[in-house]
Amino acid sequence: MALGETLITESEIRGRVGTLAREVGAALPPGDLHCAVVLKSALFFAVDLLRALGREASLGFVSASSYGGGTESAGEVRLGLEAVGRVAGRHLLLIDDILDTGHTLAAARGALQALRPASLRTCVLLDKPSRRRVSIEADHVGFTIADVFVVGYGLDCAEAYRTLPDIRACRPGAPSAPDAKERPGCWNG
Ligand code: IMP
Ligand code: MG
């Protein structure tokens, strides 16, 4: 995969994460809040969102894999709940990077609902509604984007490009596992 154009800049991300945090904060019920972050791609987003949320919350993690090394969802999601923390009876905010076919968020939401939270809201940074195969919407969405494979700000392609500050398109073509000298100008320094 080769890096393509910048779709969302670092400053656009920062601005939208701030307004999104206010939206999420206004929608969350008062009381005991627990946040479950889907690893690994939602990590950068979750940290920024939770800092901007400015509210006491505990943190847990869900692992999910459906992509392997490619860019198409296998449709079968493997979930790991070992690090999800205590959910029962608490307000739960489930945070993921991107809602694509919907398999991952549907599986994670179902598994967490089974743990009987007091309430459950979902928040994703990106939504690609044209790719949906499972009928699911997130309660909160940062940006709606077209059917383009994207990387950066935590999102990867076969583990590459996560640390890019912007969100960029990634298109088929060499290189497949880039090293720093093949991607000059992508990093802030
Ligand atoms: P879904 O199960 O098809 O909705 O896919 C959700 C997961 O696939 C996300 O949590 C991402 O980790 C990954 N994914 C989907 N689209 C992209 C993309 O454009 N770039 C990077 N990862 C993606
Ligand atoms: Mg993900």
Side-chain angles (χ1 to χ4, degrees):
M1 299 289 274
L3 273 181
E5 70 275 20
T6 298
L7 300 182
I8 308 172
T9 66
E10 186 177 7
S11 78
E12 287 168 336
I13 295 169
R14 197 178 312 117
R16 179 63 185 128
V17 170
T19 58
L20 191 59
R22 286 194 284 281
E23 289 167 29
V24 172
L28 283 171
D32 194 14
L33 177 64
H34 186 63
C35 300
V37 180
V38 182
L39 294 174
K40 298 180 258 186
S41 314
L43 214 46
F44 290 43
F45 170 51
V47 167
D48 289 346
L49 183 78
L50 294 180
R51 279 206 289 221
L53 195 61
R55 174 175 161 174
E56 171 60 25
S58 56
L59 195 56
F61 300 97
V62 176
S63 65
S65 50
S66 60
Y67 267 76
T71 62
E72 283 289 326
S73 174
E76 206 174 283
V77 181
R78 286 192 305 268
L79 281 183
L81 297 175
E82 303 81 13
V84 75
R86 193 168 53 80
V87 170
R90 312 179 69 197
H91 299 300
L92 183 65
L93 178 64
L94 172 59
I95 302 173
D96 202 0
D97 57 343
I98 185 166
L99 182 50
D100 187 35
T101 64
H103 289 296
T104 303
L105 196 68
R109 191 178 67 175
L112 292 173
Q113 199 74 66
L115 300 176
R116 298 176 170 278
S119 69
L120 199 172
R121 296 193 76 79
T122 54
C123 181
V124 297
L125 175 67
L126 303 171
D127 186 7
K128 285 197 255 185
S130 62
R131 295 256 312 161
R132 204 76 88 251
R133 302 224 184 111
V134 175
S135 175
I136 184 169
E137 299 303 324
D139 297 311
H140 303 278
V141 173
F143 300 93
T144 299
I145 61 170
D147 179 7
V148 181
F149 196 83
V150 292
V151 293
Y153 193 57
L155 288 95
D156 73 308
C157 177
E159 291 299 326
Y161 302 126
R162 281 195 202 280
T163 58
L164 285 171
D166 304 319
I167 292 174
R168 294 180 62 167
C170 198
R171 303 191 185 284
S176 58
D179 62 32
K181 64 179 188 300
E182 287 170 317
R183 43 191 177 180
C186 295
W187 268 249
N188 269 349

